Amino acid sequence: MDLRKHRSHDYVQLIRRWRAVARKAGMPVHFLARAGKYDTWYLKSKALRPTGGLYISTGIHGDEPAGPEALVTWAEKNARMLQRIPCLIFPCLNPWGIVNNRRLDQEGRDLNRLFHRDDVPVVSAVKTLVKQYQFDVSLMMHEDYDGQGIYLYETERAHPFWAESLIKIAQPFIPIDRRERIDLRKCNKPGIVRRKVIMKRFLDIGFPEAIHLHLFYSIRTFTVETPSEFALDQRVAAHMAIIEECVSRVLARE
């Protein structure tokens, strides 16, 4: 199968869909950075202020296509109200990876381990853009080849925690991953890895997007992981359910 012809790996079509969303919403698609032969983009609503609001990012790993598909599908369904949602959206941070079904970018780099650096154009552009904000919620959409169901990471900070309710909202679409350990970390509850940030670990492996946001720019930070061996439509639906819930909670705080 030519992945570029599949809807979830067609970056050109993905951006066309986002431009259509932007026209309906009355908000522009902004240039973020050049990534190899591709341009990357972001959207920012007029409702976004220096504090509060929602950060949503996806497509940093190109072999995890359900996130980009879920985010644009959710946006298409909510285009008329998108401008009223205080949000900063990154539709796809690794277009080369999406097109080629690769975790890494065109230079063989895992962008999600490089947020301690300033010499990678896409990462540096994201870091520069977020400096002016403190988000209520940051949401990173990922997938896991080894996943046995949906699970998520929640960094420990604000109470009450949200992970339990978010995983429950996604459960009708994908069962919860019941492993006791995920990525060598003990789960707090089925499908939930709620972690304190231990800096030494990230000095060893590199800084993910979620950790950078947690440290400097976000009150609540979540990484959602769907199992990439499940049906695409299931994975998309689960991501969309969590996006919708986070949007609802952010709007309730406005």
Side-chain angles (χ1 to χ4, degrees):
M1 180 180 69
D2 185 348
L3 290 169
R4 288 169 296 183
K5 294 180 181 178
H6 191 277
R7 74 178 192 190
S8 62
H9 288 278
D10 187 341
Y11 181 70
V12 172
Q13 179 62 17
L14 176 70
I15 298 305
R16 284 178 184 153
R17 292 169 69 186
W18 274 107
R19 291 192 184 282
V21 167
R23 285 193 295 270
K24 289 183 181 178
M27 56 192 291
V29 177
H30 298 282
F31 174 77
L32 178 67
R34 185 77 171 168
K37 66 178 183 179
Y38 299 99
D39 290 335
T40 57
W41 308 90
Y42 72 93
L43 294 87
K44 180 179 67 173
S45 71
K46 291 181 180 178
L48 186 64
R49 300 290 183 263
T51 59
L54 175 64
Y55 173 110
I56 314 179
S57 164
T58 191
I60 200 168
H61 290 149
D63 59 348
E64 302 174 7
E69 180 66 27
L71 185 54
V72 72
T73 303
W74 170 82
E76 287 168 339
K77 293 178 180 295
N78 294 278
R80 298 295 184 189
M81 66 174 291
L82 192 59
Q83 193 67 272
R84 302 197 303 271
I85 300 169
C87 60
L88 181 64
I89 294 173
F90 297 93
C92 182
L93 290 176
N94 181 9
W96 184 93
I98 283 289
V99 170
N100 292 279
N101 195 31
R102 296 288 186 268
R103 176 184 176 92
L104 309 180
D105 75 351
Q106 68 281 354
E107 301 294 335
R109 302 171 297 198
D110 186 340
L111 296 177
N112 202 37
R113 296 293 182 271
L114 298 179
F115 274 75
H116 58 297
R117 290 170 50 177
D118 295 318
D119 60 339
V120 180
V122 170
V123 171
S124 179
V126 172
K127 290 172 64 177
T128 298
L129 187 58
V130 300
K131 283 181 180 179
Q132 56 190 306
Y133 299 108
Q134 285 288 326
F135 299 97
D136 280 341
V137 180
S138 293
L139 190 59
M140 275 58 69
M141 320 305 291
H142 282 255
E143 302 207 80
D144 183 359
Y145 179 84
D146 297 315
Q148 299 175 15
I150 189 168
Y151 66 93
L152 58 84
Y153 296 97
E154 178 178 23
T155 55
E156 285 195 357
R157 177 169 286 152
H159 293 261
F161 296 128
W162 287 10
E164 286 82 354
S165 56
L166 294 181
I167 203 82
K168 186 176 180 180
I169 285 164
Q171 189 177 9
F173 307 102
I174 293 182
I176 294 173
D177 194 318
R178 297 286 174 178
R179 289 177 290 171
E180 293 184 0
R181 287 186 177 272
I182 295 175
D183 194 22
L184 302 179
R185 297 171 188 164
K186 186 175 181 180
C187 295
N188 303 75
K189 295 180 181 179
I192 297 171
V193 181
R194 187 154 40 233
R195 58 190 180 186
K196 292 182 179 178
V197 174
I198 300 172
M199 294 299 294
K200 184 180 183 303
R201 170 180 172 81
F202 299 105
L203 292 174
D204 293 337
I205 69 172
F207 275 61
E209 180 184 13
I211 297 306
H212 182 73
L213 287 160
H214 168 79
L215 289 174
F216 304 112
Y217 305 111
S218 182
I219 296 173
R220 298 179 184 274
T221 308
F222 302 95
T223 303
V224 181
E225 301 270 2
T226 51
S228 59
E229 296 304 288
F230 281 49
L232 178 63
D233 288 349
Q234 285 181 272
R235 291 143 51 199
V236 167
H239 278 296
M240 288 178 63
I242 290 177
I243 293 170
E244 184 65 30
E245 179 64 16
C246 288
V247 167
S248 296
R249 293 186 182 208
V250 165
L251 285 174
R253 293 172 60 88
E254 292 296 308

